[in-house]
Amino acid sequence: MKLKAKLLFLPGDYKLHSRYNDKKSFGCNMLDSFKEIYTSTLSTAAQRVKNPALGAFVLSLCSFNWKSILYLLFSETGILDKINYISGESTWKSVIGYPAVSVIVICGFLPWVNNLISQWQIKPLDNTDSIQNLRKAKEIRRATRLRRLQAKQDVTYEKVKTGAEKDIQKMKEDITESQVRMGELSAERDKLKHVVSELEKQSVNTSKIINTLESEKQHLEALVEEQKARAHKAEGMNAELIARMNDMASSQIPGPRRSR
C-alpha cells in the first residue's frame, strides 16, 4: 500500500513534498537550537549564583543600597524620579567600594574566623561527641539487651509453640486412637447385644421348653398316680378274688367221714 501511495505522486507534488519536509526539519533544528541555548544559559546562571564571591557581592550591594532598591520596586513615581533619586542616593562607595570590602571580609576573613571558632569548639564538641557516644553506647546496650530478650522470648515462644504443637499432635493421635477404640467397643457392644438377644431368645425358648416339660411331668405324675391307684385297686381285687377262690376251694373239699 505504501508503494502504491508513492507512485501516485506527480513530479511537481514530489518537489512540494520535499520542500515541506525541508522546512519542517529546519524548524525542528531551530527549536532544538533555542532549547540548547536556553539550557546552557540556565546552567551558566546557576553556576554564577553558586559562586560564593558573586553571592556575597550581591548580598552586600543589596544591604548597602536597600533604600534605593525599595524605592525602585515599591515607589509609585515615574521612572525619571526613580532614576534621579537613585542617582542622588547612590555613590561609587555604596555601589562598588563597600560591597567589595564586604566581599573581601566575607570571603577572606570569615573562613579564618570560622577556623578559630572551630578550634575553640573542638574540646566542647569532643565532649559533646563523647556524651553522645556514651548515650549511643547505652542505647546500643539497651537495644542489644532488648534484642537478646526478644530472641529469648522468640526462642521460648518457639519452644512453647513446638511443645504445644507436639501436645496437640499427641492429643489428636489420642483422639484418633480413642475414636478407633470407641469404634471397636461399639462393634463389640453391638456384637454382645446380638449375643444377649440370642441368649434371651434361647432363654425364652428354654423357659417354654421347661414349662412344657413341667406340664408333661405333672401330666405323667398324674398318670402314675392313676396307674398306682389302679394297681392298688387291682391288687385289692386280686386279693379278694384269691380269698374267694380259697373259700370256694375249702368249701368244695369233703370233710372226714363220721362213724355210724
Side-chain angles (χ1 to χ4, degrees):
M1 294 297 291
K2 291 182 179 180
L3 293 172
K4 290 181 180 179
K6 289 181 180 179
L7 292 173
L8 290 174
F9 285 110
L10 296 174
D13 294 334
Y14 179 73
K15 291 180 180 180
L16 291 173
H17 183 67
S18 62
R19 288 177 184 176
Y20 175 74
N21 289 330
D22 293 336
K23 290 181 180 180
K24 187 176 180 181
S25 62
F26 179 75
C28 292
N29 293 326
M30 288 294 292
L31 183 61
D32 293 335
S33 300
F34 284 127
K35 286 182 179 180
E36 290 178 357
I37 292 169
Y38 179 73
T39 304
S40 63
T41 303
L42 288 178
S43 63
T44 304
Q47 290 177 359
R48 293 291 183 271
V49 170
K50 290 179 181 179
N51 190 356
L54 182 61
F57 184 80
V58 172
L59 182 62
S60 301
L61 182 64
C62 293
S63 298
F64 289 109
N65 298 281
W66 61 274
K67 291 182 180 180
S68 300
I69 292 171
L70 292 177
Y71 187 81
L72 177 64
L73 294 175
F74 298 104
S75 179
E76 295 180 357
T77 58
I79 188 66
L80 295 176
D81 295 331
K82 291 180 179 180
I83 292 170
N84 292 327
Y85 177 80
I86 292 170
S87 298
E89 290 292 330
S90 300
T91 60
W92 69 270
K93 293 180 180 180
S94 63
V95 175
I96 297 174
Y98 295 147
V101 173
S102 179
V103 168
I104 292 170
V105 171
I106 292 171
C107 296
F109 292 102
L110 280 181
W112 292 99
V113 174
N114 291 328
N115 190 10
L116 292 174
I117 293 171
S118 298
Q119 289 180 358
W120 291 341
Q121 290 178 346
I122 288 173
K123 190 172 182 179
L125 291 175
D126 289 337
N127 294 328
T128 304
D129 292 335
S130 299
I131 293 169
Q132 291 179 356
N133 291 328
L134 290 173
R135 187 179 299 171
K136 289 180 180 179
K138 290 181 180 180
E139 291 178 355
I140 290 169
R141 290 175 184 173
R142 292 176 183 174
T144 304
R145 291 177 183 175
L146 181 60
R147 288 179 181 176
R148 287 178 181 175
L149 291 174
Q150 288 179 353
K152 289 181 180 179
Q153 184 179 1
D154 294 335
V155 171
T156 306
Y157 175 73
E158 290 295 332
K159 288 182 180 178
V160 172
K161 184 178 179 181
T162 304
E165 288 178 353
K166 289 182 179 178
D167 293 337
I168 292 169
Q169 186 66 29
K170 186 176 180 181
M171 290 175 65
K172 288 182 179 179
E173 291 177 356
D174 294 336
I175 290 169
T176 304
E177 290 179 358
S178 63
Q179 289 177 353
V180 173
R181 183 62 181 168
M182 286 295 293
E184 293 177 354
L185 292 174
S186 298
E188 290 179 358
R189 183 189 62 187
D190 295 334
K191 186 175 180 181
L192 290 173
K193 283 183 178 180
H194 181 69
V195 172
V196 168
S197 63
E198 292 293 331
L199 291 174
E200 287 179 352
K201 291 179 180 179
Q202 291 179 3
S203 178
V204 170
N205 294 327
T206 305
S207 298
K208 290 180 179 179
I209 292 169
I210 289 170
N211 292 327
T212 303
L213 291 174
E214 286 180 353
S215 61
E216 290 179 356
K217 179 182 176 183
Q218 291 176 359
H219 181 68
L220 291 173
E221 287 178 351
L223 291 174
V224 169
E225 291 294 331
E226 185 178 358
Q227 291 295 328
K228 285 182 178 180
R230 288 180 181 178
H232 183 69
K233 185 177 181 181
E235 288 178 356
M237 292 176 68
N238 192 11
E240 185 179 358
L241 288 173
I242 291 171
R244 288 180 179 180
M245 288 177 69
N246 289 329
D247 291 337
M248 289 176 66
S250 62
S251 62
Q252 290 179 3
I253 296 173
R257 291 179 180 178
R258 296 177 179 178
S259 60
R260 292 177 180 177

